[in-house]
Amino acid sequence: MGFSSLTFLCFSFFSFLLFLLPFASSSPSNLPILSFQEAYNHLFGDANLLLLNDGKSVHLHLDERTGAGFLSQDLYLHGFFSASIKLPADYTAGVVVAFYMSNGNMFENNHDEIDFEFLGNIRGKEWRVQTNIYGNGSTNVGREERYGLWFDPAEDFHQYSILWTDSRIIFYVDKVPIREVKRTSSMGGEFPSKPMTLYATIWDGSSWATNGGKYKVNYKYAPYIAEFSEFILHGCTVDPIEQVFPKCDLTQSSEAAVPSDITTAKRTKMESFRRKHMTYSYCYDHLRYKIPPAECVIDPREAKRLEKFDPITFGKGRRHCVKHPRSREFTTV
């Protein structure tokens, strides 16, 4: 091999490494994975929560008697929170699996919340994924978005992650950002800003989860089993008794740096995902909001595309049911 060819190969390999750097730095894959016993406590469901693989995996069951759930041992103000989840298969209409943060048990009238909710479906139809946030009890303004996925979430485990800082919230699926919520002055106090606990639950959402309640949970197919593993809880823990909380700087962690922004390459992936897979956005729901919330930026092309998926929200049909934002915490126990 000549000198010029070798030089070209070395240059190409170096360029390839530079190409990979944004992907490596934009996902904190080197964060420690915890066992259930290290990080979580049983929330409800009695024997419907099953520990496996020395506590590295958890099965949550939903049957006619109850669902199940767990919650983090600590309270967090900002951080990176993740789990690999495998959803129930077959007929799952009415079933809701949730991976979310909340402080509703501490702030009943002005709670914060950051949600991943997985909405089951009839046989042959895909699971839907819904993200949402509430800040300071802003439950009169739902900021839901809903998506399909590029894979079957019941076939294997996939990673779902939440990055929460004082200026933005980013939702990830398999390290691909799918939604970014930036804190804006127009949102006022409606951006989550108080310490929260991380929860995971499976429960019966028959009244709203599938086609506005048209399809219910069919317990002939029970138990429905949601599987969780690869738990990551990386953030600033706080004492719930304290009234003033110190600033949380995730980028200075001694264990691993957590990204505070989205790289150009990842943003391109996010935009592609949203064009291909987003099927609903609160910003375009004409029935709920005659005037979109102030933080919304309306894109006529996006509006036209979303109208095909859900014409009801554009004022063309009967209004669908809207769930109570904290129903998961009361109907499952």
Side-chain angles (χ1 to χ4, degrees), residues 77-79 163-169 181-184 191-193 247-250 260:
L77 181 62
H78 306 140
L163 173 66
W164 172 37
T165 74
D166 63 351
S167 61
R168 71 189 68 217
I169 295 164
V181 181
K182 293 183 178 180
R183 186 173 196 162
T184 64
F191 185 90
S193 57
K247 181 176 175 59
C248 180
D249 189 352
L250 299 171
S260 58

Side-chain angles (χ1 to χ4, degrees), residues 185-246:
S185 58
S186 62
M187 292 178 69
E190 296 184 359
F191 185 90
S193 57
K194 298 187 293 294
M196 289 192 278
T197 302
L198 188 73
Y199 293 84
T201 58
I202 185 170
W203 54 286
D204 187 330
S206 291
S207 63
W208 68 275
T210 308
N211 286 40
K214 179 179 180 180
Y215 299 105
K216 317 291 184 183
V217 173
N218 187 336
Y219 286 103
K220 178 177 72 174
Y221 300 100
Y224 297 97
I225 302 174
E227 305 175 47
F228 292 77
S229 67
E230 296 186 342
F231 305 110
I232 295 176
L233 286 167
H234 185 79
C236 297
T237 59
V238 299
D239 186 337
I241 299 177
E242 297 291 335
Q243 298 299 313
V244 178
F245 306 108

